[in-house]
Amino acid sequence: QVQLVESGGGLVQAGGSLRLSCAASRRTFSISTLGWYRQAPGKQRELVASITSSGSTTNYADSVKGRFTISRDTAKDTVDLQMNSLNPEDTAIYYCMITNSYGNAYWGQGTQVTVSS
């Protein structure tokens, strides 16, 4: 079973930056996509950004375009999310997720990102 370990969450002021990282165990095979989701209190979980295993295709939520960058480091088995120009609306628990070619999804435990005004 795939194990995901997240890091990088924390508290920042508006306009600041954070870099989230999610490491997948090397037992993972046939990875199709990797992504970051977030969920704020009282809201549904939403896709923030996704990337194909090869890194050739990325997608971003409209609210984060131009501010967030998702990347894949195959050598380190990580998927990272660089978050710049953070604002209070970005406050949420952020989850990493990967899917394989069999349609299975694996989730990290979530890491809190809090942006103060």
Side-chain angles (χ1 to χ4, degrees):
Q1 185 176 358
V2 175
Q3 301 291 325
L4 304 180
V5 180
E6 301 175 347
S7 62
L11 172 65
V12 297
Q13 294 182 343
S17 299
L18 284 173
R19 186 176 182 88
L20 306 182
S21 182
C22 178
S25 70
R26 304 202 73 174
R27 291 185 177 183
T28 302
F29 295 98
S30 301
I31 294 175
S32 293
T33 59
L34 308 92
W36 286 93
Y37 289 72
R38 68 185 181 187
Q39 186 168 21
K43 297 184 179 180
Q44 297 185 72
R45 187 174 299 184
E46 64 174 347
L47 175 67
V48 177
S50 65
I51 187 170
T52 55
S53 182
S54 66
S56 60
T57 303
T58 58
N59 288 290
Y60 296 92
D62 288 341
S63 60
V64 307
K65 286 182 178 178
R67 300 188 298 120
F68 291 9
T69 302
I70 189 171
S71 61
R72 170 87 165 108
D73 188 337
T74 56
K76 298 176 63 177
D77 280 341
T78 61
V79 55
D80 299 334
L81 185 69
Q82 178 66 46
M83 305 185 294
N84 299 325
S85 301
L86 287 163
N87 57 62
E89 288 71 40
D90 296 316
T91 296
I93 300 175
Y94 284 70
Y95 301 87
C96 64
M97 184 276 293
I98 63 171
T99 60
N100 61 22
S101 61
Y102 299 97
N104 302 122
Y106 302 91
W107 295 85
Q109 78 283 357
T111 184
Q112 178 70 46
V113 171
T114 302
V115 185
S116 64
S117 59

